[in-house]
């Protein structure tokens, strides 16, 4: 015996499929390039992750969070000028405009890794999960690099 879906149930299924398809399409528009974590001295309990986020889509996207088993917390930050003094501030999200690239770099947007589980050395890798609006996540094995001082 063949059972029929009610019209309401079919509508719900169509809506669910549309949401899943559009989420997959949105996920395909984002790419993460040149991601790395800064190597720090063994006594340091914090470090930063840097990367380039590229949005190849037609709508703005946002990085809304991150996590890693290698640190107690991962926070989105930015540097802002307050009365002539640069200060680091936590932000709720990092917008990635349609068709553009956003650089997470020293002196601007970046990802802080706080209370490191173990010291990170140049050449190590750390697992990092990036969370984007719309429920998208990317888990990456991120290399730890030594950052050269500017001009060297």
């Amino acid at each position: 015996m063949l059972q029929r879906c009610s019209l309401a149930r079919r509508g719900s299924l169509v809506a669910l499929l549309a949401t899943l398809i559009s989420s997959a399409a949105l996920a395909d528009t984002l790419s993460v390039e040149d991601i790395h974590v800064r190597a720090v001295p063994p006594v340091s309990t914090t470090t930063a992750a840097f990367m380039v986020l590229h949005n190849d889509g037609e709508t703005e996207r946002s990085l809304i969070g991150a996590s890693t088993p290698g640190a107690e917390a991962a926070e989105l930050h930015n540097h802002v000028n307050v009365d002539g003094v640069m200060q680091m501030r936590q932000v709720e999200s990092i917008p990635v405009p349609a068709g553009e690239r956003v650089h997470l770099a020293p002196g601007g947007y970046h990802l802080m890794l706080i209370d490191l589980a173990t010291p990170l050395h140049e050449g190590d890798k750390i697992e990092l999960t990036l969370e984007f609006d719309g429920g998208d996540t990317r888990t990456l094995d991120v290399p730890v690099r030594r950052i050269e001082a500017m001009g060297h």
Side-chain angles (χ1 to χ4, degrees):
M1 181 165 136
L2 199 58
Q3 293 184 348
R4 293 185 175 217
C5 283
S6 70
L7 192 53
R9 180 171 277 165
R10 275 190 270 164
S12 295
L13 288 173
V14 169
L16 176 62
L17 286 173
T19 299
L20 292 174
I21 290 169
S22 66
S23 291
L26 287 174
D28 290 342
T29 65
L30 288 170
S31 61
V32 180
E33 302 163 356
D34 194 30
I35 187 168
H36 56 282
V37 170
R38 174 181 279 173
V40 292
V43 295
S44 181
T45 59
T46 62
T47 190
F50 306 109
M51 66 200 80
V52 178
L53 300 174
H54 183 230
N55 179 357
D56 197 33
E58 296 178 7
T59 58
E60 181 173 285
R61 300 295 310 280
S62 293
L63 176 64
I64 61 168
S67 61
T68 177
E72 185 69 27
E75 298 178 353
L76 307 176
H77 283 235
N78 194 9
H79 280 95
V80 294
N81 189 324
V82 178
D83 298 325
V85 178
M86 292 302 287
Q87 296 181 4
M88 185 172 56
R89 304 285 175 137
Q90 186 175 0
V91 297
E92 288 188 25
S93 65
I94 298 174
V96 187
E100 294 189 25
R101 294 176 191 272
V102 172
H103 294 259
L104 279 66
Y109 284 120
H110 58 283
L111 179 63
M112 288 298 301
L113 304 180
I114 301 166
D115 291 331
L116 296 172
T118 60
L120 298 176
H121 304 96
E122 183 177 12
D124 289 348
K125 291 197 177 217
I126 185 170
E127 181 181 291
L128 185 62
T129 299
L130 303 176
E131 302 167 29
F132 297 93
D133 59 343
D136 302 333
T137 61
R138 302 271 169 87
T139 300
L140 306 163
D141 284 326
V142 180
V144 177
R145 291 189 199 159
R146 186 172 59 122
I147 306 296
E148 296 288 336
M150 291 179 62
H152 293 141

